[in-house]
Amino acid sequence: MAYDPNNIFARILRGEIPCKKIHEDDHALAFHDINPQAKVHALVIPKGAYVSFDDFSAKASDAELADYTRAVGQVARQLGADQDGYRLLSNCGVNANQDVPHLHIHIFGGRRLGRMIDKPSA
Ligand code: 5GP
């Protein structure tokens, strides 16, 4: 999957589209998902142009890696999701149905989330 500089999260980063911001630092931005699937549903994105977690982990600087990782945990705490538990999910590529080609980690919480992923179809 190629990086498209006009993807919706790149546009949010450029301030062209609004978001309900939760957290921002030098290398990460977190905001509420526009179509929440749970009481807590946040998205945490790096500010750099990375399409997926494998892309990010291969190319990002140590500072980007540190800030992004810390941002995910901070947002989970800030939203109180650490109290009863939460799930991190990052869809990467076609098999995972990634819709937006800019790395994002979903943080889901505030309800029981079921187990893992769809069972394989026959
Ligand atoms: P994916 O399927 O790529 O893992 O998830 C993309 C997520 O981005 C979806 O949960 C979708 O609701 C969210 N999303 C798409 N467009 C926007 C937007 O303009 N603003 C916000 N806050 N979330 C968005």
Side-chain angles (χ1 to χ4, degrees):
M1 194 177 243
Y3 189 81
D4 170 7
N6 286 319
N7 76 72
I8 202 97
F9 295 164
R11 298 187 65 199
I12 286 174
L13 283 167
R14 291 197 294 268
E16 295 167 7
I17 293 175
C19 70
K20 286 171 63 181
K21 192 188 294 185
I22 302 165
H23 166 88
E24 182 169 14
D25 60 48
D26 286 350
H27 297 114
L29 177 70
F31 49 88
H32 294 281
D33 196 287
I34 204 167
N35 183 24
Q37 305 297 308
K39 194 169 159 195
V40 171
H41 186 174
L43 298 168
V44 189
I45 66 174
K47 288 189 173 176
Y50 302 106
V51 70
S52 63
F53 197 86
D54 51 283
D55 184 33
F56 178 68
S57 64
K59 297 179 189 157
S61 68
D62 287 355
E64 288 175 294
L65 287 160
D67 279 356
Y68 187 60
T69 305
R70 289 189 195 285
V72 173
Q74 180 175 323
V75 170
R77 291 190 298 274
Q78 197 172 319
L79 298 178
D82 58 321
Q83 297 300 308
D84 294 321
Y86 59 94
R87 178 170 294 157
L88 305 182
L89 179 77
S90 187
N91 292 315
C92 299
V94 173
N95 276 355
N97 288 349
Q98 181 177 2
D99 284 331
V100 181
H102 184 114
L103 170 60
H104 47 287
I105 289 179
H106 298 256
I107 303 176
F108 298 105
R111 68 169 172 84
R112 295 301 291 258
L113 295 163
R115 293 195 63 80
M116 304 297 274
I117 60 173
D118 283 352
K119 292 203 185 331
S121 46

